[in-house]
Amino acid sequence: MEQASASGSEGESSSSNSGGNPLFAGWNIARWALGSGVRPPAVVVPPRPPPPPGPQPLAAASAATQAAASLTAWEEAEERPAARGFGGFGPLGPAAVQQHQQQMYDGSLGGAAGGAAYLEEEEEDYFEEEEETEWDTYRPFKLLLAGGVAGAVSRTATAPMDRLKMLLQIQDCQRGLTIKEGIRKMAAEGTVRAFFKGNGTNVVKIAPETAIKLTLNDALKHVVTVDPDEITPAQRMAAGALAGACAQATIYPFELVRTRLAVCSTNTYSGIVDCVRKVLAQEGWRAFYRGMVPSMLGILPYAGVDITIFELLKERLLDEYEGASPPPHMILAAGMLSSSIAQFAAYPLALTRTRLQAQGAGGQPIKYAGMGDVLRKTVANEGVRGLYKGSLTNLAKVAPAAGISWLVFEQAKLLMSVDPRR
């Protein structure tokens, strides 16, 4: 009994110690297995400590904090009020910003990764928008240079056809000259330079005219519409017509000098300076603006239609070639087509202008009192077809000249890194 009691007390002692020490627990189990009668106590496993908070909420909270800090620094750097939202995009007020940050914290945008990706996307969009809307400071000067070169090259290449057209236009008789007779008349003057007579004045006139017209057309697009990328055909026509009229008015005195040098005999004027001097002495300064009204009325539809059709065709070509520069022959064809359509709309007024400019040369009598008198007498003496006298020759000259002009202009823009879509 005493032994059992001792054993029991020893077992109880062991049991009491086993709860705190794994060695005693293992000893009691061994004694029970050998038949000592001591029941092994239950092994007490200490509870696991609660797991620390997962990384996702902490990361989301960290991303939201970084987003708020980045937003504040960005707005201070850009001097924008917080009411404009992320980087100045959209009308996000403080409440909207707080709600957006809460969504980032809740993980609705993908947790930390979503918040960081959103901020990165916002920054990329901001800088892309800045790059797209960045205005080229030298763009007007580049367009002036490209337009001047285009006008000089195109008119020099077609100078013989231009003089032949004028010779046909000033014939106010029923029959007039034929194309073959006009060529013979120029050849009879003895040299190849006869075919380019008046081309120096033509270049002096057409180079600045083309440069001013195309540069003003680019600027007026921002006047007739808020977004030039969404401009309508009617707005294109308005911008082109106004640009053409302003350019024509600026250089109009050179137009009269060019006409006089082209249609008068070789001995009438010795050059540009001699022509200007004689016109001032014999006819006065008003003679330099003779025929300006029909010229203005003619340039409005011509420039408007020409620029509008070409730009629409060019946009179609850029879409067809996925933004790359179209082949030169396609630009040439687009320019020829646009000018051919435009010249039929304005040709009667161009003929009226030429006849008003040519009259009075070398002391000859004045035949017409004005634009209406030219149109009335032309229809009475030559019929309606008389209004289009020389139109085929003009088409043979204008179509390639305009095509070459547009081609040179577009190529010059590319060389000077000007956006072809603008």
PDB file of all heavy atoms in Angstrom, residues 58-93:
ATOM      1  N   LEU A  58      -1.512  45.647 -46.104  1.00  0.00           N
ATOM      2  CA  LEU A  58      -0.447  46.603 -45.833  1.00  0.00           C
ATOM      3  C   LEU A  58       0.087  47.208 -47.124  1.00  0.00           C
ATOM      4  O   LEU A  58       0.355  48.412 -47.205  1.00  0.00           O
ATOM      5  CB  LEU A  58       0.680  45.911 -45.056  1.00  0.00           C
ATOM      6  CG  LEU A  58       0.351  45.503 -43.612  1.00  0.00           C
ATOM      7  CD1 LEU A  58       1.535  44.787 -42.986  1.00  0.00           C
ATOM      8  CD2 LEU A  58      -0.017  46.725 -42.782  1.00  0.00           C
ATOM      9  N   ALA A  59       0.253  46.353 -48.138  1.00  0.00           N
ATOM     10  CA  ALA A  59       0.768  46.868 -49.412  1.00  0.00           C
ATOM     11  C   ALA A  59      -0.223  47.827 -50.049  1.00  0.00           C
ATOM     12  O   ALA A  59       0.158  48.851 -50.634  1.00  0.00           O
ATOM     13  CB  ALA A  59       1.061  45.696 -50.357  1.00  0.00           C
ATOM     14  N   ALA A  60      -1.526  47.474 -49.934  1.00  0.00           N
ATOM     15  CA  ALA A  60      -2.528  48.370 -50.506  1.00  0.00           C
ATOM     16  C   ALA A  60      -2.526  49.716 -49.787  1.00  0.00           C
ATOM     17  O   ALA A  60      -2.615  50.774 -50.414  1.00  0.00           O
ATOM     18  CB  ALA A  60      -3.913  47.719 -50.424  1.00  0.00           C
ATOM     19  N   ALA A  61      -2.399  49.649 -48.432  1.00  0.00           N
ATOM     20  CA  ALA A  61      -2.355  50.898 -47.683  1.00  0.00           C
ATOM     21  C   ALA A  61      -1.116  51.705 -48.034  1.00  0.00           C
ATOM     22  O   ALA A  61      -1.157  52.930 -48.175  1.00  0.00           O
ATOM     23  CB  ALA A  61      -2.385  50.595 -46.172  1.00  0.00           C
ATOM     24  N   SER A  62       0.012  50.987 -48.200  1.00  0.00           N
ATOM     25  CA  SER A  62       1.243  51.682 -48.589  1.00  0.00           C
ATOM     26  C   SER A  62       1.107  52.317 -49.967  1.00  0.00           C
ATOM     27  O   SER A  62       1.552  53.450 -50.191  1.00  0.00           O
ATOM     28  CB  SER A  62       2.412  50.700 -48.575  1.00  0.00           C
ATOM     29  OG  SER A  62       3.591  51.317 -49.024  1.00  0.00           O
ATOM     30  N   ALA A  63       0.473  51.586 -50.907  1.00  0.00           N
ATOM     31  CA  ALA A  63       0.278  52.138 -52.258  1.00  0.00           C
ATOM     32  C   ALA A  63      -0.617  53.359 -52.220  1.00  0.00           C
ATOM     33  O   ALA A  63      -0.377  54.347 -52.928  1.00  0.00           O
ATOM     34  CB  ALA A  63      -0.314  51.069 -53.171  1.00  0.00           C
ATOM     35  N   ALA A  64      -1.659  53.298 -51.377  1.00  0.00           N
ATOM     36  CA  ALA A  64      -2.550  54.461 -51.284  1.00  0.00           C
ATOM     37  C   ALA A  64      -1.809  55.665 -50.710  1.00  0.00           C
ATOM     38  O   ALA A  64      -1.977  56.795 -51.163  1.00  0.00           O
ATOM     39  CB  ALA A  64      -3.759  54.111 -50.405  1.00  0.00           C
ATOM     40  N   THR A  65      -0.950  55.407 -49.698  1.00  0.00           N
ATOM     41  CA  THR A  65      -0.179  56.515 -49.117  1.00  0.00           C
ATOM     42  C   THR A  65       0.781  57.109 -50.135  1.00  0.00           C
ATOM     43  O   THR A  65       0.910  58.324 -50.268  1.00  0.00           O
ATOM     44  CB  THR A  65       0.609  56.011 -47.896  1.00  0.00           C
ATOM     45  OG1 THR A  65      -0.311  55.429 -46.969  1.00  0.00           O
ATOM     46  CG2 THR A  65       1.351  57.163 -47.223  1.00  0.00           C
ATOM     47  N   GLN A  66       1.461  56.208 -50.888  1.00  0.00           N
ATOM     48  CA  GLN A  66       2.373  56.690 -51.927  1.00  0.00           C
ATOM     49  C   GLN A  66       1.628  57.453 -53.005  1.00  0.00           C
ATOM     50  O   GLN A  66       2.128  58.447 -53.541  1.00  0.00           O
ATOM     51  CB  GLN A  66       3.134  55.513 -52.541  1.00  0.00           C
ATOM     52  CG  GLN A  66       4.095  54.842 -51.577  1.00  0.00           C
ATOM     53  CD  GLN A  66       4.773  53.634 -52.195  1.00  0.00           C
ATOM     54  OE1 GLN A  66       4.520  53.311 -53.364  1.00  0.00           O
ATOM     55  NE2 GLN A  66       5.612  52.956 -51.432  1.00  0.00           N
ATOM     56  N   ALA A  67       0.423  56.959 -53.347  1.00  0.00           N
ATOM     57  CA  ALA A  67      -0.368  57.649 -54.365  1.00  0.00           C
ATOM     58  C   ALA A  67      -0.723  59.059 -53.917  1.00  0.00           C
ATOM     59  O   ALA A  67      -0.624  60.023 -54.677  1.00  0.00           O
ATOM     60  CB  ALA A  67      -1.638  56.857 -54.661  1.00  0.00           C
ATOM     61  N   ALA A  68      -1.131  59.176 -52.652  1.00  0.00           N
ATOM     62  CA  ALA A  68      -1.479  60.501 -52.136  1.00  0.00           C
ATOM     63  C   ALA A  68      -0.267  61.422 -52.116  1.00  0.00           C
ATOM     64  O   ALA A  68      -0.342  62.597 -52.486  1.00  0.00           O
ATOM     65  CB  ALA A  68      -2.079  60.371 -50.731  1.00  0.00           C
ATOM     66  N   ALA A  69       0.895  60.866 -51.707  1.00  0.00           N
ATOM     67  CA  ALA A  69       2.113  61.692 -51.671  1.00  0.00           C
ATOM     68  C   ALA A  69       2.539  62.114 -53.068  1.00  0.00           C
ATOM     69  O   ALA A  69       2.920  63.266 -53.307  1.00  0.00           O
ATOM     70  CB  ALA A  69       3.233  60.919 -50.983  1.00  0.00           C
ATOM     71  N   SER A  70       2.459  61.154 -54.016  1.00  0.00           N
ATOM     72  CA  SER A  70       2.837  61.478 -55.397  1.00  0.00           C
ATOM     73  C   SER A  70       1.892  62.521 -55.980  1.00  0.00           C
ATOM     74  O   SER A  70       2.314  63.438 -56.692  1.00  0.00           O
ATOM     75  CB  SER A  70       2.814  60.214 -56.254  1.00  0.00           C
ATOM     76  OG  SER A  70       3.726  59.270 -55.761  1.00  0.00           O
ATOM     77  N   LEU A  71       0.607  62.373 -55.668  1.00  0.00           N
ATOM     78  CA  LEU A  71      -0.373  63.332 -56.167  1.00  0.00           C
ATOM     79  C   LEU A  71      -0.091  64.736 -55.639  1.00  0.00           C
ATOM     80  O   LEU A  71      -0.094  65.718 -56.386  1.00  0.00           O
ATOM     81  CB  LEU A  71      -1.779  62.875 -55.761  1.00  0.00           C
ATOM     82  CG  LEU A  71      -2.922  63.852 -56.086  1.00  0.00           C
ATOM     83  CD1 LEU A  71      -3.039  64.053 -57.574  1.00  0.00           C
ATOM     84  CD2 LEU A  71      -4.230  63.337 -55.505  1.00  0.00           C
ATOM     85  N   THR A  72       0.213  64.838 -54.357  1.00  0.00           N
ATOM     86  CA  THR A  72       0.487  66.156 -53.765  1.00  0.00           C
ATOM     87  C   THR A  72       1.729  66.791 -54.372  1.00  0.00           C
ATOM     88  O   THR A  72       1.738  67.970 -54.746  1.00  0.00           O
ATOM     89  CB  THR A  72       0.655  66.013 -52.251  1.00  0.00           C
ATOM     90  OG1 THR A  72      -0.524  65.404 -51.713  1.00  0.00           O
ATOM     91  CG2 THR A  72       0.873  67.372 -51.604  1.00  0.00           C
ATOM     92  N   ALA A  73       2.799  65.975 -54.520  1.00  0.00           N
ATOM     93  CA  ALA A  73       4.036  66.509 -55.099  1.00  0.00           C
ATOM     94  C   ALA A  73       3.840  66.924 -56.537  1.00  0.00           C
ATOM     95  O   ALA A  73       4.360  67.949 -56.996  1.00  0.00           O
ATOM     96  CB  ALA A  73       5.144  65.462 -54.985  1.00  0.00           C
ATOM     97  N   TRP A  74       3.087  66.125 -57.273  1.00  0.00           N
ATOM     98  CA  TRP A  74       2.836  66.420 -58.685  1.00  0.00           C
ATOM     99  C   TRP A  74       2.063  67.737 -58.828  1.00  0.00           C
ATOM    100  O   TRP A  74       2.384  68.579 -59.662  1.00  0.00           O
ATOM    101  CB  TRP A  74       2.052  65.260 -59.290  1.00  0.00           C
ATOM    102  CG  TRP A  74       2.050  65.232 -60.777  1.00  0.00           C
ATOM    103  CD1 TRP A  74       2.546  66.167 -61.625  1.00  0.00           C
ATOM    104  CD2 TRP A  74       1.524  64.195 -61.608  1.00  0.00           C
ATOM    105  NE1 TRP A  74       2.371  65.792 -62.915  1.00  0.00           N
ATOM    106  CE2 TRP A  74       1.741  64.595 -62.941  1.00  0.00           C
ATOM    107  CE3 TRP A  74       0.898  62.984 -61.355  1.00  0.00           C
ATOM    108  CZ2 TRP A  74       1.343  63.814 -64.016  1.00  0.00           C
ATOM    109  CZ3 TRP A  74       0.510  62.208 -62.431  1.00  0.00           C
ATOM    110  CH2 TRP A  74       0.734  62.612 -63.745  1.00  0.00           C
ATOM    111  N   GLU A  75       1.017  67.889 -58.011  1.00  0.00           N
ATOM    112  CA  GLU A  75       0.213  69.106 -58.109  1.00  0.00           C
ATOM    113  C   GLU A  75       1.005  70.338 -57.715  1.00  0.00           C
ATOM    114  O   GLU A  75       0.867  71.401 -58.309  1.00  0.00           O
ATOM    115  CB  GLU A  75      -1.030  68.972 -57.232  1.00  0.00           C
ATOM    116  CG  GLU A  75      -2.052  67.984 -57.794  1.00  0.00           C
ATOM    117  CD  GLU A  75      -3.190  67.753 -56.828  1.00  0.00           C
ATOM    118  OE1 GLU A  75      -3.060  68.169 -55.661  1.00  0.00           O
ATOM    119  OE2 GLU A  75      -4.206  67.167 -57.248  1.00  0.00           O
ATOM    120  N   GLU A  76       1.866  70.196 -56.706  1.00  0.00           N
ATOM    121  CA  GLU A  76       2.695  71.344 -56.314  1.00  0.00           C
ATOM    122  C   GLU A  76       3.686  71.696 -57.411  1.00  0.00           C
ATOM    123  O   GLU A  76       3.948  72.870 -57.679  1.00  0.00           O
ATOM    124  CB  GLU A  76       3.433  71.030 -55.016  1.00  0.00           C
ATOM    125  CG  GLU A  76       2.525  70.939 -53.793  1.00  0.00           C
ATOM    126  CD  GLU A  76       3.298  70.541 -52.550  1.00  0.00           C
ATOM    127  OE1 GLU A  76       4.504  70.229 -52.681  1.00  0.00           O
ATOM    128  OE2 GLU A  76       2.691  70.535 -51.475  1.00  0.00           O
ATOM    129  N   ALA A  77       4.252  70.662 -58.059  1.00  0.00           N
ATOM    130  CA  ALA A  77       5.231  70.934 -59.118  1.00  0.00           C
ATOM    131  C   ALA A  77       4.576  71.585 -60.326  1.00  0.00           C
ATOM    132  O   ALA A  77       5.148  72.462 -60.971  1.00  0.00           O
ATOM    133  CB  ALA A  77       5.922  69.629 -59.535  1.00  0.00           C
ATOM    134  N   GLU A  78       3.379  71.148 -60.645  1.00  0.00           N
ATOM    135  CA  GLU A  78       2.684  71.674 -61.811  1.00  0.00           C
ATOM    136  C   GLU A  78       1.850  72.913 -61.494  1.00  0.00           C
ATOM    137  O   GLU A  78       1.232  73.493 -62.381  1.00  0.00           O
ATOM    138  CB  GLU A  78       1.768  70.590 -62.414  1.00  0.00           C
ATOM    139  CG  GLU A  78       2.497  69.398 -62.982  1.00  0.00           C
ATOM    140  CD  GLU A  78       3.329  69.776 -64.188  1.00  0.00           C
ATOM    141  OE1 GLU A  78       2.965  70.738 -64.880  1.00  0.00           O
ATOM    142  OE2 GLU A  78       4.354  69.125 -64.435  1.00  0.00           O
ATOM    143  N   GLU A  79       1.805  73.296 -60.196  1.00  0.00           N
ATOM    144  CA  GLU A  79       1.046  74.466 -59.753  1.00  0.00           C
ATOM    145  C   GLU A  79      -0.426  74.334 -60.133  1.00  0.00           C
ATOM    146  O   GLU A  79      -1.064  75.254 -60.633  1.00  0.00           O
ATOM    147  CB  GLU A  79       1.616  75.754 -60.320  1.00  0.00           C
ATOM    148  CG  GLU A  79       3.020  76.038 -59.842  1.00  0.00           C
ATOM    149  CD  GLU A  79       3.541  77.359 -60.376  1.00  0.00           C
ATOM    150  OE1 GLU A  79       2.810  77.998 -61.160  1.00  0.00           O
ATOM    151  OE2 GLU A  79       4.639  77.748 -59.996  1.00  0.00           O
ATOM    152  N   ARG A  80      -0.964  73.145 -59.930  1.00  0.00           N
ATOM    153  CA  ARG A  80      -2.381  72.901 -60.193  1.00  0.00           C
ATOM    154  C   ARG A  80      -3.093  72.711 -58.864  1.00  0.00           C
ATOM    155  O   ARG A  80      -2.540  72.107 -57.941  1.00  0.00           O
ATOM    156  CB  ARG A  80      -2.580  71.642 -61.043  1.00  0.00           C
ATOM    157  CG  ARG A  80      -2.073  71.781 -62.455  1.00  0.00           C
ATOM    158  CD  ARG A  80      -2.546  70.570 -63.250  1.00  0.00           C
ATOM    159  NE  ARG A  80      -2.179  70.695 -64.639  1.00  0.00           N
ATOM    160  CZ  ARG A  80      -1.073  70.201 -65.141  1.00  0.00           C
ATOM    161  NH1 ARG A  80      -0.234  69.559 -64.386  1.00  0.00           N
ATOM    162  NH2 ARG A  80      -0.808  70.342 -66.441  1.00  0.00           N
ATOM    163  N   PRO A  81      -4.334  73.160 -58.768  1.00  0.00           N
ATOM    164  CA  PRO A  81      -5.104  72.920 -57.548  1.00  0.00           C
ATOM    165  C   PRO A  81      -5.487  71.467 -57.440  1.00  0.00           C
ATOM    166  O   PRO A  81      -5.595  70.763 -58.451  1.00  0.00           O
ATOM    167  CB  PRO A  81      -6.350  73.813 -57.717  1.00  0.00           C
ATOM    168  CG  PRO A  81      -6.480  73.973 -59.182  1.00  0.00           C
ATOM    169  CD  PRO A  81      -5.074  73.978 -59.731  1.00  0.00           C
ATOM    170  N   ALA A  82      -5.669  70.995 -56.190  1.00  0.00           N
ATOM    171  CA  ALA A  82      -6.013  69.593 -55.968  1.00  0.00           C
ATOM    172  C   ALA A  82      -7.340  69.231 -56.576  1.00  0.00           C
ATOM    173  O   ALA A  82      -7.615  68.073 -56.842  1.00  0.00           O
ATOM    174  CB  ALA A  82      -6.049  69.301 -54.465  1.00  0.00           C
ATOM    175  N   ALA A  83      -8.213  70.216 -56.834  1.00  0.00           N
ATOM    176  CA  ALA A  83      -9.538  69.931 -57.374  1.00  0.00           C
ATOM    177  C   ALA A  83      -9.487  69.388 -58.780  1.00  0.00           C
ATOM    178  O   ALA A  83     -10.472  68.879 -59.279  1.00  0.00           O
ATOM    179  CB  ALA A  83     -10.394  71.194 -57.346  1.00  0.00           C
ATOM    180  N   ARG A  84      -8.298  69.493 -59.445  1.00  0.00           N
ATOM    181  CA  ARG A  84      -8.247  69.013 -60.828  1.00  0.00           C
ATOM    182  C   ARG A  84      -7.905  67.548 -60.909  1.00  0.00           C
ATOM    183  O   ARG A  84      -7.841  66.986 -61.979  1.00  0.00           O
ATOM    184  CB  ARG A  84      -7.226  69.827 -61.609  1.00  0.00           C
ATOM    185  CG  ARG A  84      -7.648  71.261 -61.779  1.00  0.00           C
ATOM    186  CD  ARG A  84      -6.900  71.916 -62.863  1.00  0.00           C
ATOM    187  NE  ARG A  84      -7.136  71.224 -64.135  1.00  0.00           N
ATOM    188  CZ  ARG A  84      -6.514  71.539 -65.256  1.00  0.00           C
ATOM    189  NH1 ARG A  84      -5.655  72.518 -65.263  1.00  0.00           N
ATOM    190  NH2 ARG A  84      -6.762  70.886 -66.353  1.00  0.00           N
ATOM    191  N   GLY A  85      -7.587  66.898 -59.766  1.00  0.00           N
ATOM    192  CA  GLY A  85      -7.429  65.467 -59.763  1.00  0.00           C
ATOM    193  C   GLY A  85      -6.047  65.038 -60.178  1.00  0.00           C
ATOM    194  O   GLY A  85      -5.078  65.772 -60.098  1.00  0.00           O
ATOM    195  N   PHE A  86      -5.924  63.808 -60.645  1.00  0.00           N
ATOM    196  CA  PHE A  86      -4.642  63.181 -60.929  1.00  0.00           C
ATOM    197  C   PHE A  86      -3.996  63.845 -62.124  1.00  0.00           C
ATOM    198  O   PHE A  86      -4.423  63.675 -63.247  1.00  0.00           O
ATOM    199  CB  PHE A  86      -4.826  61.677 -61.194  1.00  0.00           C
ATOM    200  CG  PHE A  86      -5.084  60.904 -59.949  1.00  0.00           C
ATOM    201  CD1 PHE A  86      -6.383  60.808 -59.470  1.00  0.00           C
ATOM    202  CD2 PHE A  86      -4.068  60.303 -59.250  1.00  0.00           C
ATOM    203  CE1 PHE A  86      -6.638  60.104 -58.318  1.00  0.00           C
ATOM    204  CE2 PHE A  86      -4.324  59.603 -58.105  1.00  0.00           C
ATOM    205  CZ  PHE A  86      -5.612  59.500 -57.626  1.00  0.00           C
ATOM    206  N   GLY A  87      -2.904  64.602 -61.874  1.00  0.00           N
ATOM    207  CA  GLY A  87      -2.152  65.218 -62.960  1.00  0.00           C
ATOM    208  C   GLY A  87      -2.946  66.225 -63.749  1.00  0.00           C
ATOM    209  O   GLY A  87      -2.600  66.525 -64.877  1.00  0.00           O
ATOM    210  N   GLY A  88      -4.030  66.756 -63.202  1.00  0.00           N
ATOM    211  CA  GLY A  88      -4.820  67.728 -63.939  1.00  0.00           C
ATOM    212  C   GLY A  88      -5.800  67.105 -64.888  1.00  0.00           C
ATOM    213  O   GLY A  88      -6.371  67.768 -65.724  1.00  0.00           O
ATOM    214  N   PHE A  89      -6.028  65.793 -64.780  1.00  0.00           N
ATOM    215  CA  PHE A  89      -6.948  65.135 -65.706  1.00  0.00           C
ATOM    216  C   PHE A  89      -8.341  65.111 -65.115  1.00  0.00           C
ATOM    217  O   PHE A  89      -8.587  64.464 -64.090  1.00  0.00           O
ATOM    218  CB  PHE A  89      -6.511  63.689 -65.976  1.00  0.00           C
ATOM    219  CG  PHE A  89      -5.320  63.585 -66.847  1.00  0.00           C
ATOM    220  CD1 PHE A  89      -4.050  63.654 -66.313  1.00  0.00           C
ATOM    221  CD2 PHE A  89      -5.465  63.457 -68.215  1.00  0.00           C
ATOM    222  CE1 PHE A  89      -2.936  63.558 -67.110  1.00  0.00           C
ATOM    223  CE2 PHE A  89      -4.360  63.363 -69.011  1.00  0.00           C
ATOM    224  CZ  PHE A  89      -3.088  63.418 -68.459  1.00  0.00           C
ATOM    225  N   GLY A  90      -9.275  65.796 -65.746  1.00  0.00           N
ATOM    226  CA  GLY A  90     -10.670  65.680 -65.391  1.00  0.00           C
ATOM    227  C   GLY A  90     -11.038  66.475 -64.153  1.00  0.00           C
ATOM    228  O   GLY A  90     -10.188  66.897 -63.362  1.00  0.00           O
ATOM    229  N   PRO A  91     -12.320  66.673 -63.943  1.00  0.00           N
ATOM    230  CA  PRO A  91     -12.809  67.473 -62.824  1.00  0.00           C
ATOM    231  C   PRO A  91     -12.925  66.663 -61.539  1.00  0.00           C
ATOM    232  O   PRO A  91     -14.007  66.467 -61.006  1.00  0.00           O
ATOM    233  CB  PRO A  91     -14.172  67.955 -63.319  1.00  0.00           C
ATOM    234  CG  PRO A  91     -14.642  66.843 -64.189  1.00  0.00           C
ATOM    235  CD  PRO A  91     -13.406  66.284 -64.847  1.00  0.00           C
ATOM    236  N   LEU A  92     -11.796  66.061 -61.021  1.00  0.00           N
ATOM    237  CA  LEU A  92     -11.847  65.293 -59.792  1.00  0.00           C
ATOM    238  C   LEU A  92     -11.673  66.228 -58.604  1.00  0.00           C
ATOM    239  O   LEU A  92     -10.623  66.856 -58.454  1.00  0.00           O
ATOM    240  CB  LEU A  92     -10.747  64.233 -59.783  1.00  0.00           C
ATOM    241  CG  LEU A  92     -10.874  63.125 -60.840  1.00  0.00           C
ATOM    242  CD1 LEU A  92      -9.704  62.169 -60.725  1.00  0.00           C
ATOM    243  CD2 LEU A  92     -12.171  62.377 -60.672  1.00  0.00           C
ATOM    244  N   GLY A  93     -12.668  66.329 -57.761  1.00  0.00           N
ATOM    245  CA  GLY A  93     -12.571  67.144 -56.571  1.00  0.00           C
ATOM    246  C   GLY A  93     -11.955  66.367 -55.433  1.00  0.00           C
ATOM    247  O   GLY A  93     -11.621  65.180 -55.563  1.00  0.00           O
TER     248      GLY A  93
END
